[in-house]
Coordinates of all heavy atoms in Angstrom, one line a residue:
M1 N -83.8 40.0 14.3 CA -83.0 38.9 13.5 C -84.0 37.9 13.0 O -84.9 37.5 13.7 CB -82.0 38.2 14.4 CG -80.7 39.1 14.5 SD -79.8 39.1 12.9 CE -79.0 37.6 12.8
A2 N -83.9 37.5 11.7 CA -84.7 36.5 11.2 C -84.3 35.2 11.9 O -83.1 35.0 12.3 CB -84.6 36.3 9.7
K3 N -85.1 34.3 11.9 CA -84.8 32.9 12.6 C -83.7 32.3 11.7 O -83.7 32.4 10.4 CB -86.1 32.0 12.8 CG -86.6 31.5 11.4 CD -87.8 30.7 11.7 CE -88.7 30.4 10.5 NZ -88.3 29.7 9.4
K4 N -82.8 31.6 12.4 CA -81.7 30.9 11.7 C -82.3 29.9 10.7 O -83.1 29.0 11.2 CB -80.8 30.3 12.8 CG -79.4 29.8 12.1 CD -78.5 29.6 13.2 CE -77.4 28.7 12.7 NZ -76.6 29.1 11.6
S5 N -81.9 29.9 9.6 CA -82.5 29.1 8.6 C -81.5 28.0 8.1 O -80.3 28.2 8.0 CB -82.8 29.9 7.3 OG -83.3 28.9 6.2
R6 N -82.1 26.7 8.1 CA -81.3 25.6 7.6 C -81.6 25.3 6.1 O -81.4 24.3 5.7 CB -81.5 24.4 8.5 CG -80.9 24.6 9.8 CD -81.5 23.4 10.7 NE -81.4 22.1 10.2 CZ -82.3 21.2 10.1 NH1 -83.5 21.4 10.6 NH2 -82.1 20.0 9.5
E7 N -82.2 26.3 5.5 CA -82.7 26.0 4.2 C -81.5 25.9 3.2 O -80.5 26.6 3.3 CB -83.6 27.1 3.7 CG -85.0 26.9 4.5 CD -85.9 28.1 4.2 OE1 -85.3 29.1 3.8 OE2 -87.1 28.0 4.4
I8 N -81.8 25.0 2.2 CA -80.7 24.8 1.2 C -81.4 25.1 -0.1 O -82.6 24.8 -0.4 CB -80.3 23.3 1.3 CG1 -79.7 23.1 2.6 CG2 -79.2 23.1 0.0 CD1 -79.5 21.6 3.0
L9 N -80.6 25.6 -1.1 CA -81.1 25.9 -2.4 C -80.8 24.7 -3.3 O -79.6 24.3 -3.2 CB -80.5 27.2 -3.0 CG -80.8 27.6 -4.5 CD1 -82.4 27.8 -4.6 CD2 -80.0 28.7 -4.8
W10 N -81.7 24.2 -3.9 CA -81.5 23.0 -4.8 C -81.9 23.2 -6.3 O -82.8 23.9 -6.5 CB -82.4 21.8 -4.3 CG -82.3 21.5 -2.9 CD1 -83.0 22.1 -1.9 CD2 -81.5 20.5 -2.3 NE1 -82.7 21.5 -0.6 CE2 -81.8 20.5 -0.9 CE3 -80.6 19.4 -2.8 CZ2 -81.2 19.6 -0.1 CZ3 -80.1 18.5 -2.0 CH2 -80.3 18.6 -0.6
E11 N -81.1 22.6 -7.1 CA -81.6 22.7 -8.5 C -81.9 21.1 -8.7 O -81.1 20.3 -8.7 CB -80.4 23.0 -9.5 CG -80.9 23.1 -11.0 CD -79.8 23.5 -11.9 OE1 -78.6 23.7 -11.5 OE2 -80.1 23.5 -13.1
V12 N -83.2 21.0 -9.1 CA -83.7 19.5 -9.2 C -84.0 19.3 -10.7 O -84.7 20.0 -11.3 CB -85.1 19.4 -8.4 CG1 -85.4 17.9 -8.4 CG2 -84.8 19.8 -7.0
G13 N -83.4 18.3 -11.2 CA -83.6 17.9 -12.6 C -84.5 16.7 -12.6 O -84.5 15.9 -11.8
C14 N -85.2 16.5 -13.8 CA -86.0 15.4 -13.9 C -86.2 15.2 -15.4 O -86.6 16.2 -16.1 CB -87.3 15.4 -13.2 SG -88.4 14.0 -13.5
E15 N -86.2 14.0 -15.9 CA -86.3 13.8 -17.4 C -87.7 14.3 -17.8 O -88.7 13.9 -17.1 CB -86.2 12.3 -17.7 CG -85.9 11.9 -19.1 CD -86.1 10.4 -19.3 OE1 -85.7 9.6 -18.4 OE2 -86.4 10.1 -20.4
G16 N -87.8 15.1 -18.8 CA -89.1 15.4 -19.3 C -89.6 16.7 -18.7 O -90.7 17.2 -19.0
H17 N -88.7 17.3 -17.8 CA -89.2 18.6 -17.1 C -87.9 19.6 -17.1 O -86.8 19.1 -17.2 CB -89.5 18.4 -15.7 CG -90.9 17.6 -15.5 ND1 -92.1 18.1 -15.8 CD2 -91.0 16.4 -15.2 CE1 -93.0 17.3 -15.6 NE2 -92.4 16.2 -15.2
T18 N -88.3 20.8 -17.1 CA -87.2 21.8 -16.9 C -86.7 21.7 -15.4 O -87.4 21.2 -14.6 CB -87.7 23.2 -17.2 OG1 -88.8 23.5 -16.3 CG2 -88.2 23.5 -18.6
D19 N -85.5 22.3 -15.3 CA -84.9 22.2 -13.9 C -85.8 23.1 -13.0 O -86.2 24.1 -13.4 CB -83.5 22.7 -14.0 CG -82.6 21.7 -14.7 OD1 -83.1 20.6 -14.9 OD2 -81.4 22.1 -14.9
A20 N -86.0 22.6 -11.8 CA -86.7 23.3 -10.7 C -85.8 23.8 -9.7 O -84.9 23.0 -9.3 CB -87.7 22.4 -10.1
W21 N -85.9 25.0 -9.4 CA -85.0 25.6 -8.3 C -86.0 25.8 -7.1 O -87.0 26.4 -7.2 CB -84.5 27.0 -8.7 CG -83.4 27.0 -9.8 CD1 -83.6 27.0 -11.0 CD2 -82.0 26.9 -9.5 NE1 -82.2 26.9 -11.7 CE2 -81.3 26.9 -10.6 CE3 -81.2 26.8 -8.3 CZ2 -80.0 26.7 -10.8 CZ3 -79.9 26.7 -8.3 CH2 -79.3 26.7 -9.6
V22 N -85.6 25.1 -6.1 CA -86.5 25.2 -4.9 C -85.5 25.4 -3.6 O -84.4 25.0 -3.6 CB -87.2 23.8 -4.7 CG1 -88.2 23.7 -5.9 CG2 -86.4 22.6 -4.6
V23 N -86.1 25.8 -2.6 CA -85.5 26.0 -1.3 C -86.2 25.0 -0.3 O -87.5 25.0 -0.2 CB -85.7 27.4 -0.8 CG1 -85.1 27.6 0.6 CG2 -85.0 28.4 -1.7
A24 N -85.4 24.1 0.2 CA -86.0 23.2 1.2 C -84.9 22.8 2.2 O -83.7 23.0 1.9 CB -86.4 22.0 0.5
E25 N -85.3 22.2 3.3 CA -84.3 21.7 4.3 C -83.6 20.5 3.8 O -82.4 20.3 4.3 CB -85.2 21.4 5.6 CG -85.2 22.6 6.5 CD -85.9 22.1 7.8 OE1 -85.5 21.0 8.4 OE2 -86.7 22.8 8.3
N26 N -84.2 19.6 3.2 CA -83.5 18.4 2.7 C -83.9 18.0 1.3 O -84.9 18.5 0.7 CB -83.8 17.3 3.8 CG -85.2 17.0 3.9 OD1 -86.0 16.8 3.0 ND2 -85.7 17.0 5.2
W27 N -83.3 17.0 0.9 CA -83.6 16.5 -0.6 C -85.0 16.0 -0.8 O -85.5 16.4 -1.7 CB -82.5 15.4 -0.9 CG -82.8 14.8 -2.2 CD1 -83.1 13.4 -2.4 CD2 -82.7 15.4 -3.5 NE1 -83.3 13.2 -3.8 CE2 -83.2 14.4 -4.5 CE3 -82.6 16.6 -4.0 CZ2 -83.2 14.7 -5.9 CZ3 -82.7 17.0 -5.3 CH2 -83.0 16.0 -6.2
E28 N -85.6 15.3 0.2 CA -86.8 14.8 0.0 C -87.8 15.9 -0.2 O -88.8 15.9 -1.0 CB -87.2 13.9 1.2 CG -88.6 13.2 0.9 CD -88.9 12.2 2.0 OE1 -88.4 12.2 3.1 OE2 -89.8 11.3 1.6
L29 N -87.7 17.0 0.8 CA -88.6 18.1 0.6 C -88.4 18.9 -0.7 O -89.3 19.4 -1.3 CB -88.4 19.0 1.8 CG -89.0 18.5 3.2 CD1 -88.6 19.4 4.3 CD2 -90.5 18.4 3.2
A30 N -87.2 18.9 -1.1 CA -86.8 19.6 -2.3 C -87.5 18.9 -3.5 O -88.1 19.6 -4.4 CB -85.3 19.6 -2.6
T31 N -87.6 17.6 -3.5 CA -88.3 16.9 -4.6 C -89.9 17.1 -4.5 O -90.5 17.1 -5.5 CB -88.1 15.3 -4.5 OG1 -88.5 14.8 -3.3 CG2 -86.6 15.1 -4.8
V32 N -90.3 17.2 -3.4 CA -91.8 17.6 -3.1 C -92.1 19.0 -3.7 O -93.0 19.1 -4.4 CB -92.1 17.6 -1.6 CG1 -93.6 18.1 -1.5 CG2 -92.1 16.2 -1.0
E33 N -91.2 19.8 -3.4 CA -91.3 21.3 -4.0 C -91.3 21.2 -5.5 O -91.9 21.9 -6.2 CB -90.3 22.2 -3.5 CG -90.4 22.5 -2.0 CD -91.6 23.4 -1.8 OE1 -91.9 24.3 -2.5 OE2 -92.2 23.3 -0.6
A34 N -90.3 20.5 -6.0 CA -90.1 20.4 -7.5 C -91.3 19.8 -8.1 O -91.7 20.3 -9.2 CB -88.8 19.5 -7.7
A35 N -91.9 18.7 -7.5 CA -93.1 18.2 -8.1 C -94.2 19.2 -8.1 O -95.0 19.2 -9.1 CB -93.5 16.9 -7.3
A36 N -94.3 20.0 -7.2 CA -95.3 21.0 -7.1 C -95.1 22.0 -8.2 O -96.1 22.5 -8.9 CB -95.3 21.8 -5.8
F37 N -93.8 22.4 -8.4 CA -93.5 23.3 -9.5 C -93.9 22.7 -10.9 O -94.4 23.3 -11.7 CB -92.0 23.7 -9.5 CG -91.6 24.3 -10.8 CD1 -91.9 25.7 -11.1 CD2 -90.7 23.6 -11.7 CE1 -91.5 26.3 -12.2 CE2 -90.4 24.3 -12.8 CZ -90.7 25.6 -13.1
W38 N -93.6 21.4 -11.0 CA -93.9 20.8 -12.3 C -95.4 20.4 -12.4 O -95.9 20.0 -13.4 CB -93.1 19.5 -12.4 CG -91.6 19.7 -12.5 CD1 -91.1 20.7 -13.2 CD2 -90.6 18.9 -12.0 NE1 -89.7 20.6 -13.2 CE2 -89.4 19.6 -12.4 CE3 -90.6 17.8 -11.3 CZ2 -88.1 19.1 -12.0 CZ3 -89.3 17.3 -10.8 CH2 -88.1 17.9 -11.2
D39 N -96.1 20.5 -11.3 CA -97.6 20.2 -11.3 C -97.8 18.8 -11.6 O -98.7 18.4 -12.3 CB -98.3 21.1 -12.2 CG -99.8 21.2 -11.9 OD1 -100.2 20.9 -10.7 OD2 -100.6 21.5 -12.7
V40 N -97.1 17.9 -10.9 CA -97.2 16.5 -11.1 C -97.2 15.7 -9.7 O -96.7 16.3 -8.8 CB -96.1 15.8 -12.0 CG1 -96.1 16.4 -13.4 CG2 -94.7 16.1 -11.4
P41 N -97.8 14.6 -9.6 CA -97.8 13.9 -8.4 C -96.4 13.6 -7.9 O -95.6 13.1 -8.7 CB -98.6 12.7 -8.6 CG -99.4 12.9 -9.9 CD -98.6 13.9 -10.6
W42 N -96.1 13.9 -6.7 CA -94.6 13.6 -6.2 C -94.2 12.1 -6.5 O -93.1 11.8 -6.8 CB -94.5 14.0 -4.7 CG -93.2 13.8 -4.1 CD1 -92.1 14.4 -4.3 CD2 -92.9 12.6 -3.2 NE1 -91.1 13.8 -3.6 CE2 -91.5 12.7 -2.9 CE3 -93.7 11.5 -2.7 CZ2 -90.9 11.8 -2.2 CZ3 -93.0 10.6 -1.9 CH2 -91.6 10.7 -1.6
A43 N -95.2 11.2 -6.2 CA -94.8 9.7 -6.3 C -94.5 9.4 -7.8 O -93.6 8.5 -7.9 CB -96.0 9.0 -6.0
K44 N -94.8 10.2 -8.7 CA -94.5 9.9 -10.1 C -93.1 10.3 -10.5 O -92.5 9.7 -11.4 CB -95.5 10.6 -11.1 CG -96.8 9.9 -11.1 CD -97.5 10.3 -12.4 CE -98.7 9.3 -12.7 NZ -99.3 9.6 -14.0
V45 N -92.6 11.4 -9.8 CA -91.3 11.8 -10.1 C -90.2 11.7 -9.2 O -89.0 11.8 -9.5 CB -91.3 13.3 -10.6 CG1 -92.2 13.6 -11.9 CG2 -92.0 14.2 -9.4
A46 N -90.6 11.3 -7.9 CA -89.6 11.3 -6.8 C -88.4 10.4 -7.1 O -87.2 10.9 -7.0 CB -90.3 10.7 -5.7
A47 N -88.6 9.3 -7.8 CA -87.5 8.4 -8.1 C -86.6 8.8 -9.2 O -85.5 8.5 -9.3 CB -88.1 6.9 -8.3
R48 N -87.2 9.7 -10.0 CA -86.4 10.2 -11.2 C -85.8 11.6 -11.0 O -85.1 12.0 -12.0 CB -87.4 10.2 -12.4 CG -87.9 8.8 -12.8 CD -88.6 8.8 -14.2 NE -89.9 9.5 -14.1 CZ -90.3 10.3 -15.2 NH1 -89.5 10.6 -16.1 NH2 -91.4 10.9 -15.1
C49 N -86.0 12.1 -9.9 CA -85.4 13.4 -9.6 C -83.9 13.2 -9.4 O -83.4 12.4 -8.7 CB -86.0 14.1 -8.4 SG -87.6 14.8 -8.6
V50 N -83.1 14.2 -9.9 CA -81.7 14.1 -9.7 C -81.2 15.5 -9.2 O -81.8 16.6 -9.6 CB -80.9 13.8 -11.1 CG1 -81.2 12.4 -11.5 CG2 -81.2 14.8 -12.1
C51 N -80.2 15.5 -8.3 CA -79.8 16.7 -7.7 C -78.7 17.3 -8.6 O -77.6 16.6 -8.8 CB -79.3 16.4 -6.4 SG -78.6 17.9 -5.5
K52 N -78.9 18.4 -9.2 CA -77.9 19.0 -10.0 C -77.0 20.0 -9.3 O -75.9 20.1 -9.6 CB -78.6 19.7 -11.2 CG -79.3 18.8 -12.1 CD -79.7 19.5 -13.5 CE -80.1 18.5 -14.5 NZ -80.4 19.1 -15.8
Q53 N -77.6 20.7 -8.4 CA -76.8 21.6 -7.4 C -77.5 21.6 -6.1 O -78.7 21.5 -5.9 CB -76.9 23.0 -8.1 CG -76.0 23.2 -9.3 CD -75.7 24.7 -9.5 OE1 -75.0 25.3 -8.7 NE2 -76.3 25.2 -10.6
R54 N -76.6 21.7 -5.1 CA -77.0 21.8 -3.7 C -76.2 23.0 -3.2 O -75.0 22.9 -3.0 CB -76.7 20.5 -3.0 CG -77.0 20.5 -1.5 CD -76.6 19.2 -1.0 NE -77.0 19.1 0.4 CZ -76.3 19.6 1.5 NH1 -75.2 20.3 1.2 NH2 -76.7 19.4 2.7
I55 N -76.9 24.0 -2.8 CA -76.2 25.3 -2.4 C -76.7 25.6 -1.0 O -77.7 26.3 -0.8 CB -76.4 26.4 -3.4 CG1 -76.1 26.0 -4.7 CG2 -75.6 27.6 -2.9 CD1 -76.5 27.0 -5.8
P56 N -76.1 25.1 0.1 CA -76.5 25.5 1.4 C -76.2 27.0 1.7 O -75.2 27.5 1.3 CB -75.5 24.6 2.4 CG -74.9 23.6 1.5 CD -74.8 24.3 0.1
G57 N -77.1 27.5 2.5 CA -77.0 29.0 2.9 C -76.9 29.9 1.7 O -76.2 31.0 1.7
A58 N -77.7 29.6 0.6 CA -77.6 30.6 -0.4 C -78.2 31.9 -0.1 O -79.1 32.0 0.8 CB -78.6 30.0 -1.6
P59 N -77.7 33.0 -0.5 CA -78.1 34.3 -0.2 C -79.5 34.5 -0.5 O -79.9 34.2 -1.6 CB -77.1 35.2 -0.8 CG -76.6 34.5 -1.9 CD -76.5 33.0 -1.6
R60 N -80.3 35.1 0.5 CA -81.7 35.5 0.1 C -81.6 36.8 -0.8 O -80.7 37.5 -0.7 CB -82.4 35.7 1.4 CG -82.7 34.4 2.1 CD -83.8 34.5 3.1 NE -84.2 33.2 3.6 CZ -85.3 32.6 3.2 NH1 -86.1 33.2 2.2 NH2 -85.6 31.4 3.5
N61 N -82.7 36.9 -1.5 CA -82.8 38.2 -2.2 C -81.8 38.2 -3.4 O -81.6 39.4 -4.0 CB -82.7 39.5 -1.3 CG -83.8 39.4 -0.4 OD1 -85.0 39.0 -0.7 ND2 -83.7 40.0 0.8
V62 N -81.1 37.2 -3.7 CA -80.3 37.2 -4.8 C -80.9 36.0 -5.7 O -81.0 34.8 -5.3 CB -78.8 36.8 -4.5 CG1 -78.0 36.8 -5.9 CG2 -78.2 37.9 -3.6
C63 N -81.3 36.4 -6.9 CA -82.0 35.5 -7.8 C -81.0 34.3 -8.2 O -79.9 34.7 -8.6 CB -82.4 36.2 -9.0 SG -83.3 35.1 -10.3
C64 N -81.4 33.1 -8.0 CA -80.5 32.0 -8.4 C -80.3 31.8 -9.8 O -79.4 31.1 -10.3 CB -81.2 30.6 -7.8 SG -82.7 30.1 -8.6
R65 N -81.2 32.5 -10.7 CA -81.1 32.3 -12.0 C -80.4 33.4 -12.9 O -79.5 33.1 -13.6 CB -82.6 32.2 -12.7 CG -82.6 31.6 -14.0 CD -84.1 31.2 -14.2 NE -84.1 30.8 -15.7 CZ -84.3 31.6 -16.7 NH1 -84.4 32.9 -16.5 NH2 -84.3 31.1 -17.9
C66 N -80.7 34.7 -12.5 CA -80.1 35.8 -13.2 C -79.1 36.4 -12.3 O -78.3 37.3 -12.8 CB -81.1 36.7 -13.7 SG -82.1 37.6 -12.4
G67 N -79.1 36.2 -11.0 CA -78.1 36.8 -10.1 C -78.3 38.2 -9.6 O -77.6 38.8 -8.9
R68 N -79.6 38.7 -9.9 CA -79.9 40.1 -9.6 C -80.4 40.0 -8.1 O -81.0 39.1 -7.7 CB -81.0 40.6 -10.5 CG -80.5 41.2 -11.8 CD -81.5 41.9 -12.6 NE -82.7 41.1 -12.6 CZ -83.7 41.4 -13.4 NH1 -83.7 42.4 -14.1 NH2 -84.8 40.6 -13.5
V69 N -80.2 41.2 -7.5 CA -80.8 41.3 -6.1 C -82.3 41.8 -6.3 O -82.6 42.6 -7.2 CB -80.1 42.5 -5.4 CG1 -80.8 42.8 -4.0 CG2 -78.7 42.1 -5.2
Y70 N -83.2 41.1 -5.6 CA -84.6 41.4 -5.8 C -85.3 41.2 -4.4 O -84.7 40.7 -3.5 CB -85.2 40.4 -6.8 CG -85.3 39.0 -6.2 CD1 -86.6 38.5 -5.9 CD2 -84.2 38.2 -6.2 CE1 -86.6 37.2 -5.4 CE2 -84.3 36.9 -5.5 CZ -85.5 36.4 -5.3 OH -85.7 35.1 -4.7
Y71 N -86.5 41.5 -4.4 CA -87.3 41.4 -3.2 C -88.5 40.5 -3.4 O -89.3 40.8 -4.3 CB -87.7 42.7 -2.6 CG -86.5 43.5 -2.2 CD1 -86.0 44.4 -3.0 CD2 -85.9 43.3 -0.9 CE1 -84.8 45.1 -2.6 CE2 -84.8 43.9 -0.5 CZ -84.2 44.8 -1.4 OH -83.1 45.5 -1.0
G72 N -88.6 39.5 -2.8 CA -89.8 38.5 -3.0 C -89.4 37.1 -2.5 O -88.3 37.0 -1.9
P73 N -90.2 36.2 -2.7 CA -90.0 34.8 -2.2 C -88.8 34.1 -2.9 O -88.6 34.4 -4.1 CB -91.3 34.1 -2.5 CG -91.9 34.8 -3.6 CD -91.5 36.2 -3.3
A74 N -88.0 33.4 -2.1 CA -86.9 32.7 -2.7 C -87.4 31.6 -3.7 O -88.7 31.1 -3.5 CB -86.1 32.0 -1.5
P75 N -86.7 31.1 -4.6 CA -85.2 31.4 -4.8 C -85.0 32.3 -6.0 O -83.8 32.5 -6.3 CB -84.6 30.0 -5.0 CG -85.7 29.3 -5.8 CD -87.0 29.8 -5.3
M76 N -86.0 32.8 -6.7 CA -85.7 33.6 -7.8 C -86.7 34.8 -8.0 O -87.7 34.8 -7.4 CB -85.7 32.7 -9.1 CG -87.0 32.1 -9.4 SD -87.0 31.1 -10.9 CE -86.2 29.6 -10.3
C77 N -86.2 35.7 -8.8 CA -87.0 37.0 -8.9 C -88.3 36.7 -9.8 O -88.4 35.7 -10.4 CB -86.1 38.1 -9.7 SG -85.7 37.7 -11.4
G78 N -89.2 37.6 -9.8 CA -90.5 37.5 -10.5 C -90.3 37.2 -11.8 O -91.0 36.4 -12.5
A79 N -89.4 37.9 -12.6 CA -89.3 37.8 -13.9 C -88.8 36.4 -14.3 O -89.2 35.7 -15.3 CB -88.2 38.8 -14.5
C80 N -87.8 35.8 -13.5 CA -87.3 34.5 -13.7 C -88.4 33.4 -13.5 O -88.4 32.5 -14.2 CB -86.0 34.2 -13.0 SG -84.6 35.2 -13.6
R81 N -89.1 33.7 -12.5 CA -90.2 32.7 -12.1 C -91.1 32.6 -13.3 O -91.5 31.4 -13.6 CB -90.9 33.3 -10.8 CG -91.7 32.4 -10.1 CD -92.3 33.0 -8.9 NE -91.3 33.3 -7.9 CZ -90.8 32.3 -6.9 NH1 -91.5 31.1 -6.8 NH2 -90.0 32.6 -6.0
E82 N -91.5 33.7 -13.8 CA -92.4 33.6 -15.0 C -91.7 32.8 -16.1 O -92.3 32.1 -16.9 CB -92.7 35.1 -15.5 CG -93.7 35.8 -14.6 CD -95.1 35.1 -14.6 OE1 -95.6 34.7 -15.7 OE2 -95.4 34.7 -13.5
T83 N -90.4 33.1 -16.3 CA -89.6 32.6 -17.4 C -89.6 31.0 -17.4 O -89.9 30.3 -18.3 CB -88.3 33.1 -17.6 OG1 -88.3 34.4 -17.7 CG2 -87.5 32.4 -18.8
V84 N -89.3 30.5 -16.1 CA -89.2 29.1 -15.9 C -90.5 28.4 -16.0 O -90.7 27.2 -16.6 CB -88.5 28.7 -14.7 CG1 -87.0 29.1 -14.7 CG2 -89.2 29.2 -13.4
R85 N -91.6 29.1 -15.5 CA -93.0 28.5 -15.7 C -93.4 28.4 -17.1 O -94.0 27.5 -17.6 CB -94.0 29.4 -14.9 CG -93.9 29.2 -13.5 CD -95.2 29.7 -12.8 NE -95.0 29.6 -11.3 CZ -95.0 28.5 -10.7 NH1 -95.2 27.3 -11.3 NH2 -94.8 28.5 -9.4
T86 N -92.9 29.4 -18.0 CA -93.3 29.3 -19.4 C -92.5 28.3 -20.1 O -93.0 27.5 -20.9 CB -92.9 30.8 -20.0 OG1 -93.7 31.7 -19.4 CG2 -93.3 30.8 -21.4
E87 N -91.3 28.1 -19.7 CA -90.3 27.1 -20.2 C -90.9 25.7 -20.0 O -91.1 24.9 -20.8 CB -89.0 27.1 -19.6 CG -88.1 28.1 -20.3 CD -86.8 28.3 -19.6 OE1 -86.5 27.5 -18.6 OE2 -86.0 29.2 -20.0
E88 N -91.4 25.5 -18.7 CA -92.0 24.2 -18.4 C -93.3 24.0 -19.1 O -93.5 22.9 -19.7 CB -92.3 24.2 -16.9 CG -93.1 23.0 -16.4 CD -92.3 21.7 -16.5 OE1 -91.1 21.7 -16.8 OE2 -93.0 20.6 -16.2
Y89 N -94.1 25.0 -19.3 CA -95.3 24.9 -20.0 C -95.1 24.6 -21.5 O -95.8 23.6 -22.0 CB -96.1 26.3 -19.9 CG -97.4 26.4 -20.7 CD1 -98.5 25.7 -20.3 CD2 -97.4 27.1 -22.0 CE1 -99.7 25.7 -21.2 CE2 -98.5 27.1 -22.7 CZ -99.7 26.4 -22.3 OH -100.8 26.5 -23.1
L90 N -94.2 25.3 -22.1 CA -93.9 25.0 -23.5 C -93.3 23.6 -23.6 O -93.7 22.9 -24.7 CB -92.9 26.0 -24.1 CG -93.5 27.5 -24.2 CD1 -92.4 28.4 -24.6 CD2 -94.7 27.5 -25.2
L91 N -92.5 23.2 -22.7 CA -91.9 21.8 -22.8 C -93.0 20.7 -22.7 O -93.1 19.8 -23.5 CB -90.9 21.6 -21.8 CG -90.3 20.2 -21.6 CD1 -89.5 20.0 -22.9 CD2 -89.3 20.2 -20.4
Q92 N -93.9 21.0 -21.8 CA -95.1 20.0 -21.7 C -96.0 20.0 -23.0 O -96.4 19.0 -23.3 CB -95.9 20.3 -20.5 CG -95.2 20.1 -19.1 CD -94.4 18.9 -19.1 OE1 -94.8 17.8 -19.5 NE2 -93.1 19.0 -18.7
Q93 N -96.2 21.2 -23.5 CA -97.0 21.3 -24.8 C -96.3 20.5 -25.9 O -96.9 19.8 -26.6 CB -97.0 22.7 -25.3 CG -97.8 23.7 -24.3 CD -99.4 23.5 -24.6 OE1 -99.9 22.7 -23.9 NE2 -99.8 24.2 -25.6
A94 N -94.9 20.7 -25.9 CA -94.1 19.9 -27.0 C -94.2 18.5 -26.8 O -94.3 17.7 -27.7 CB -92.8 20.5 -26.9
R95 N -94.2 18.1 -25.5 CA -94.2 16.6 -25.3 C -95.5 16.1 -25.6 O -95.6 14.9 -26.2 CB -93.8 16.4 -23.7 CG -92.4 16.5 -23.5 CD -92.1 16.3 -22.1 NE -92.6 15.0 -21.5 CZ -91.7 14.0 -21.6 NH1 -90.5 14.0 -22.1 NH2 -92.1 12.8 -21.1
R96 N -96.6 16.8 -25.3 CA -97.9 16.3 -25.6 C -98.1 16.2 -27.2 O -98.6 15.1 -27.6 CB -99.0 17.3 -25.1 CG -99.4 16.8 -23.7 CD -100.7 17.6 -23.3 NE -100.4 19.0 -23.0 CZ -100.1 19.3 -21.6 NH1 -99.9 18.4 -20.7 NH2 -99.8 20.6 -21.4
R97 N -97.5 17.2 -27.9 CA -97.6 17.0 -29.3 C -96.8 15.8 -29.8 O -97.2 15.1 -30.7 CB -97.0 18.3 -30.0 CG -97.9 19.4 -30.2 CD -97.5 20.4 -31.2 NE -96.2 21.1 -30.8 CZ -96.2 22.1 -29.9 NH1 -97.4 22.6 -29.4 NH2 -95.1 22.6 -29.6
G98 N -95.6 15.6 -29.1 CA -94.8 14.5 -29.4 C -95.5 13.1 -29.2 O -95.5 12.3 -30.0
Y99 N -96.2 13.0 -28.1 CA -96.9 11.8 -27.8 C -98.0 11.6 -28.9 O -98.1 10.5 -29.4 CB -97.6 11.9 -26.5 CG -96.7 11.7 -25.3 CD1 -96.7 12.6 -24.3 CD2 -96.0 10.6 -25.2 CE1 -95.8 12.6 -23.2 CE2 -95.0 10.4 -24.2 CZ -95.0 11.4 -23.1 OH -94.2 11.2 -22.0
R100 N -98.6 12.7 -29.4 CA -99.6 12.5 -30.3 C -99.2 12.0 -31.6 O -99.8 11.2 -32.3 CB -100.5 13.9 -30.5 CG -101.6 14.0 -29.5 CD -102.7 14.9 -30.1 NE -102.1 16.3 -30.3 CZ -102.1 17.2 -29.3 NH1 -102.6 16.9 -28.1 NH2 -101.7 18.4 -29.6
T101 N -98.1 12.6 -32.1 CA -97.5 12.2 -33.3 C -96.6 10.9 -33.2 O -96.2 10.5 -34.3 CB -96.6 13.4 -33.9 OG1 -95.6 13.7 -33.0 CG2 -97.6 14.5 -34.2
G102 N -96.5 10.4 -32.0 CA -95.7 9.2 -31.9 C -94.3 9.3 -31.9 O -93.6 8.3 -32.1
K103 N -93.7 10.6 -31.8 CA -92.3 10.7 -31.9 C -91.6 10.3 -30.6 O -90.5 10.0 -30.5 CB -92.0 12.1 -32.3 CG -92.1 12.4 -33.7 CD -91.9 13.9 -34.0 CE -92.2 14.3 -35.4 NZ -92.6 15.6 -35.6
L104 N -92.4 10.4 -29.5 CA -91.9 10.1 -28.2 C -92.5 8.8 -27.8 O -93.7 8.7 -27.8 CB -92.1 11.2 -27.2 CG -91.2 12.5 -27.3 CD1 -91.7 13.4 -26.3 CD2 -89.7 12.0 -27.1
A105 N -91.7 7.8 -27.2 CA -92.3 6.7 -26.8 C -92.8 6.8 -25.3 O -92.3 7.6 -24.5 CB -91.3 5.5 -26.8
Ligands
ZN1 ZN1 -83.9 36.4 -11.9

């Protein structure tokens, strides 16, 4: 038997970033994981993170994004992992362009 897990699946939102899906024991750790996904210092985003979903005991091997059964690390399948990384990358590119042209304050 696998060790009993207290892990919770979180959907973490933050202004200027795509939503991050992370598995963590508590909210603080979830924001740490989310900051790692966004590749930003935790201190910069911690206060702006919002909890969009909290799913205790989420089934393993079921992708949180597309709902397919898969094998690999939680919480999403490889294809979705790639997709969200690309979404985040494109969003950051767009924001950088925005800053340069002065459209975003
Ligand atoms: Zn998926």
